[in-house]
Amino acid sequence: MKTFVYIDHFKGEIQPASWEAIGLGKTLGSVSAIVFGSGVDAITKAAFEYGADEVFVADDTSLEDFRAEPYASTLSALASSQSPDLILFPITARTRELAAMSAVDLNTGVLTDISALEMNGDQLIATRPIYEGKVLEKTVCSGKPVMASIRPRFFPKPEPDVAKSGTATKVDVKADALTTVEGYSASESAVNLGDAGVIVSGGRGVSNNPSLQPPAGMDERQAEIWRAHQGFALITELANVLGGAVGASRSAVDGGYIPYSHQVGQTGKVVTPDLYIACGISGAVQHLVGMRNAKLIVAINKDADAPVFKQARYGVVGDLFQVVPALTEAFKKKLGK
Ligand SMILES: Cc1cc2nc3c(=O)[nH]c(=O)nc-3n(C[C@H](O)[C@H](O)[C@H](O)COP(=O)(O)OP(=O)(O)OC[C@H]3O[C@@H](n4cnc5c(N)ncnc54)[C@H](O)[C@@H]3O)c2cc1C
């Protein structure tokens, strides 16, 4: 099986699922990495270290900013000349566009958002969760090459071998961009829950500390949000000590405690960290579908009957305003921070 893996990056920051895609490709045969951009020597080097047998590189100032037209035309031309059996992408907003446009050029299809891939005879069968993860769908692509985008953190990441290197093969850029990027600015959705190894999440319970006295002059609603901010400050501190990200339930988001980009669940993000700590979250099914694939779930809740405990490996029945700071202190000591 000849597999190509597209290495997705933004300003030199590589999507870690690109390496997971190389790992997946290596289980099927040889892997050629594809690196497009401007000044991408470090990315090319890393692609060899993560196991690529060969790297195709289009390094050109016209590719400095991602634009679908030149990227897709260059990828399609490369695939037409090299005839891979499979092209893998880490799933991102950029690769959704790129894979779809290239698939049209190559007269094939894209299996999106896959969580498993297996060979059956000479056919590749992909699995992807649908209906909020309640059903696993098996799909095949009858076109060639098969194109597939992988979910982050569903496939093992290979260990890099810094001694491994190789000579990259130069690829020419095809087609001009029809659009120009005027600039970038950070947005709320900069929170990257999808790649986080640890997530500490807060729910409506983060506002429930009646002993906290808000500044004078606040009405009830303002006081609730003020208390919630104190609760989320504790959650953020724990997340920082563990090198993780901050998540939230929809009630916390709807309550105005924290922006939507932090929401986990059916109408938020689906996450798969190694560790998920749910603080003051009851465990409604719409929240659980977003985090139940975490490797280890810890729940902190005052109510011993909260449904979240059924999903959790470890549970602490207690007040998060006491338990979370105690955990932070314990981890600081343990981790020497
Ligand atoms: C169509 C639809 C889509 C939805 N999508 C989502 C989604 O994407 N994500 C999502 O999360 N929800 C979603 N919901 C909402 C979901 O049904 C729940 O309402 C929500 O998850 C509840 O959030 P919560 O657990 O923070 O709040 P609550 O259910 O109110 O639970 C708060 C918990 O905090 C505990 N608590 C209170 N004070 C403390 C304290 N001091 N210390 C410790 N524990 C304390 C309480 O015992 C309680 O268990 C959706 C609902 C619908 C209908």
Side-chain angles (χ1 to χ4, degrees):
M1 169 83 45
K2 184 171 167 184
T3 301
F4 279 14
V5 172
Y6 178 80
I7 309 298
D8 188 54
H9 62 97
F10 177 70
K11 303 261 169 224
E13 197 181 310
I14 302 157
Q15 279 295 321
S18 304
W19 309 139
E20 293 155 20
I22 288 188
L24 171 61
K26 295 289 279 185
T27 64
L28 301 165
S30 71
V31 169
S32 306
I34 301 169
V35 179
F36 293 169
S38 175
V40 289
D41 287 352
I43 301 172
T44 305
K45 183 171 177 295
F48 280 116
E49 290 174 1
Y50 274 96
D53 301 295
E54 139 180 77
V55 183
F56 290 105
V57 180
D59 193 337
D60 194 281
T61 49
S62 66
L63 297 179
E64 182 162 355
D65 295 300
F66 174 83
R67 266 87 40 84
E69 319 89 65
Y71 271 66
S73 303
T74 308
L75 176 60
S76 306
L78 176 66
S80 298
S81 67
Q82 298 290 326
S83 308
D85 302 299
L86 169 68
I87 307 181
L88 292 172
F89 301 81
I91 194 145
T92 64
R94 289 178 293 276
T95 60
R96 278 193 181 95
E97 202 179 0
L98 173 62
M101 277 179 79
S102 240
V104 172
D105 290 342
L106 297 168
N107 195 23
T108 185
V110 189
L111 306 169
T112 54
D113 222 6
I114 68 166
S115 57
L117 188 65
E118 60 194 313
M119 284 296 286
N120 186 4
D122 57 359
Q123 196 168 45
L124 278 166
I125 303 181
T127 304
R128 60 178 189 148
I130 56 171
Y131 299 115
E132 314 303 340
K134 288 192 199 76
V135 177
L136 294 177
E137 180 188 75
K138 300 240 181 218
T139 29
V140 295
C141 171
S142 52
K144 196 179 163 221
V146 173
M147 295 172 91
S149 57
I150 68 158
R151 286 194 162 207
R153 303 180 58 79
F154 269 77
F155 299 93
K157 185 164 135 191
E159 280 300 318
D161 174 0
V162 288
K164 196 171 171 295
S165 62
T167 310
T169 307
K170 190 176 167 301
V171 172
D172 291 329
V173 180
K174 305 282 176 199
D176 293 328
L178 304 173
T179 50
T180 359
V181 176
E182 295 277 302
Y184 298 98
S185 58
S187 80
E188 270 181 5
S189 56
V191 184
N192 196 352
L193 291 176
D195 289 326
V198 175
I199 297 175
V200 188
S201 275
R204 199 197 301 272
V206 296
S207 65
N208 183 24
N209 185 352
S211 65
L212 277 176
Q213 274 313 311
M218 282 189 178
D219 62 25
E220 220 170 281
R221 170 93 180 109
Q222 289 167 327
E224 177 190 340
I225 293 179
W226 181 84
R227 285 197 180 95
H229 287 166
Q230 315 311 305
F232 266 113
L234 300 178
I235 282 171
T236 305
E237 206 187 342
L238 177 56
N240 287 344
V241 168
L242 296 173
V246 174
S249 73
R250 178 161 160 178
S251 292
V253 172
D254 289 351
Y257 305 169
I258 190 162
Y260 168 73
S261 51
H262 294 266
Q263 186 176 315
V264 171
Q266 183 181 327
T267 43
K269 299 216 172 77
V270 175
V271 296
T272 49
D274 297 324
L275 172 63
Y276 188 89
I277 306 180
C279 311
I281 293 177
S282 59
V285 65
Q286 295 90 350
H287 187 80
L288 298 181
V289 295
M291 46 67 103
R292 66 179 167 206
N293 283 319
K295 289 205 181 89
L296 181 73
I297 297 171
V298 177
I300 301 164
N301 199 301
K302 271 171 116 166
D303 174 7
D305 295 324
V308 70
F309 286 125
K310 291 204 181 85
Q311 204 74 32
R313 171 93 68 89
Y314 299 106
V316 183
V317 180
D319 187 333
L320 72 91
F321 284 86
Q322 287 163 9
V323 178
V324 173
L327 268 181
T328 305
E329 280 316 304
F331 278 120
K332 271 188 187 164
K333 267 198 200 136
K334 183 95 186 151
L335 301 170
K337 290 194 173 174

